[in-house]
Every structure is written in C-alpha cells, then in structure tokens.
C-alpha cells in the first residue's frame, strides 16, 4: 500500500445510526457525490431508488431524510477506499497504487451490531478482500456475513435496474 498523494480526494464520512445491522460498502464516491458530499448523488445511480423500495421511504425525500430512514432501518453506509487518485468517476480509473483504505476494522469494532456487509459492486468486494479483510480478527470475520450485489452505478448499465433490485432484495432479506 502506498501513501496518500497530495492531490488524492478524500471520501465521505461513514453514515452510521444507533444500532446498525448491515453495512453497505461502495468502492469510492463518484465525482458528483464528492462535490455534493452525499452518498450516491449521481441521479442515474439506482442506489436510493432501490433502497427506497426495500426500506419503504419516499425516494424524493431530501438527502438527510433518506439517510435518516436508512439508518433508522439498521443500515450503515461507507466506502472501502478512504482516498485514491482517479480521473473521473469510474472504478476502472482508480490508480491501485494510490489506494488508502478506510478504517473499517475500527468501524466494525465500534459497531458490534453489524453482522452483514453488502458490497455494492465487485470493486468494493475485491478492495475489501485485499485491503481490509487481512486486518480483521478471526472473531470479527466469524461474526460477519459478506455478500456481493450488482453495482447500482450507471456504469453498470448492462444490468437492468429491475434485476439489480431483485438481487439486492435477495441479499438484504436472506
């Protein structure tokens, strides 16, 4: 792992409520999310539409109220990567040598109620396996169920939103 470069953007703070059960991990926020300091701010990203269907809140609520609905339902949000060098928003453009992971072991230690991690896309899953999983204790790993779901990103246009919703439903309610 290399050190952070001066021009590397920093990701968002974790979104965690009082008693989270499920941690949803993305890879690193897109340009629009960083600009707005808001998770999944790109309007074509299906995340908030999918979660509104699964959790039962109005997708048109202001961002803070959507976040409150999500955390009240036991969900937390964060990204595997704390900072990295990337041109644009695509995960494929992340300079792998520039990756600095978030302190996920600390988040999990501070929130022992989390028993499931859902990876929003393959990049989140692979970066977790590479940068975070080796830092977790055997006890932490034994308490976690980790599942992949298709990315909600508009870059994952090959998977229709209905199929994404179905996959997310199956993982969240298993």
């Amino acid at each position: 792992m290399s050190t952070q470069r001066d021009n590397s953007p920093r990701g968002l703070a974790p979104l965690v409520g009082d008693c989270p059960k499920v941690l949803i991990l993305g890879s690193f926020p897109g340009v629009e999310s960083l600009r707005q300091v808001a998770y999944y701010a790109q309007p074509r990203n299906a995340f908030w539409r999918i979660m509104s269907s699964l959790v039962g809140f109005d997708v048109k609520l202001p961002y803070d109220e959507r976040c409150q609905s999500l955390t009240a339902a036991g969900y937390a949000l964060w990204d595997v990567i704390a900072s990295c060098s990337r041109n644009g928003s695509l995960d494929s453009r992340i300079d792998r040598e520039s990756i600095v992971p978030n302190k996920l072991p600390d988040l999990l230690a501070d929130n022992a109620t989390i028993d499931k991690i859902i990876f929003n896309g393959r990049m989140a899953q692979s970066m977790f396996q590479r940068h975070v999983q080796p830092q977790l204790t055997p006890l932490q790993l034994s308490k976690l169920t980790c599942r992949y779901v298709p990315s909600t990103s508009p870059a994952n246009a090959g998977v229709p939103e209905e199929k994404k919703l179905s996959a997310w439903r199956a993982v969240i309610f298993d």
Side-chain angles (χ1 to χ4, degrees):
M1 180 172 60
S2 69
T3 58
Q4 179 181 344
R5 297 178 182 174
D6 291 343
N7 62 347
S8 297
R10 300 282 314 160
L12 304 176
L15 176 64
V16 183
D18 291 334
C19 201
K21 297 282 291 160
V22 178
L23 173 60
I24 299 171
L25 288 175
S27 53
F28 188 71
V31 171
E32 188 62 20
S33 290
L34 291 172
R35 188 183 74 72
Q36 291 188 35
V37 190
Y39 282 100
Y40 305 103
Q42 166 51 255
R44 292 177 299 145
N45 193 302
F47 179 80
W48 289 109
R49 291 186 300 277
I50 287 172
M51 293 310 294
S52 73
S53 293
L54 299 175
V55 175
F57 59 84
D58 185 347
V59 73
K60 294 177 183 171
L61 288 172
Y63 176 74
D64 289 345
E65 291 179 40
R66 284 181 278 148
C67 291
Q68 184 178 14
S69 296
L70 203 62
T71 58
Y75 295 91
L77 290 179
W78 210 12
D79 292 298
V80 176
I81 301 170
S83 69
C84 65
S85 193
R86 178 186 64 197
N87 183 13
S89 292
L90 296 176
D91 284 348
S92 61
R93 294 266 178 100
I94 293 173
D95 173 4
R96 305 297 170 112
E97 295 300 314
S98 72
I99 291 172
V100 176
N102 271 315
K103 296 182 180 183
L104 285 157
D106 293 347
L107 180 97
L108 293 169
D110 292 343
N111 295 279
T113 54
I114 294 173
D115 59 10
K116 184 187 285 188
I117 294 177
I118 297 175
F119 302 109
N120 187 357
R122 290 279 183 218
M123 178 67 133
Q125 182 183 36
S126 66
M127 291 298 100
F128 179 88
Q129 290 169 339
R130 179 175 180 180
H131 294 284
V132 179
Q133 192 168 319
Q135 299 177 39
L136 297 176
T137 67
L139 180 60
Q140 283 175 308
L141 285 171
S142 71
K143 293 170 55 178
L144 292 173
T145 300
C146 296
R147 298 285 185 262
Y148 154 83
V149 290
S151 172
T152 59
S153 169
N156 188 21
V159 180
E161 191 167 322
E162 301 78 35
K163 284 193 174 192
K164 291 177 186 180
L165 175 59
S166 178
W168 277 74
R169 180 177 284 116
V171 166
I172 283 179
F173 297 118
D174 75 349

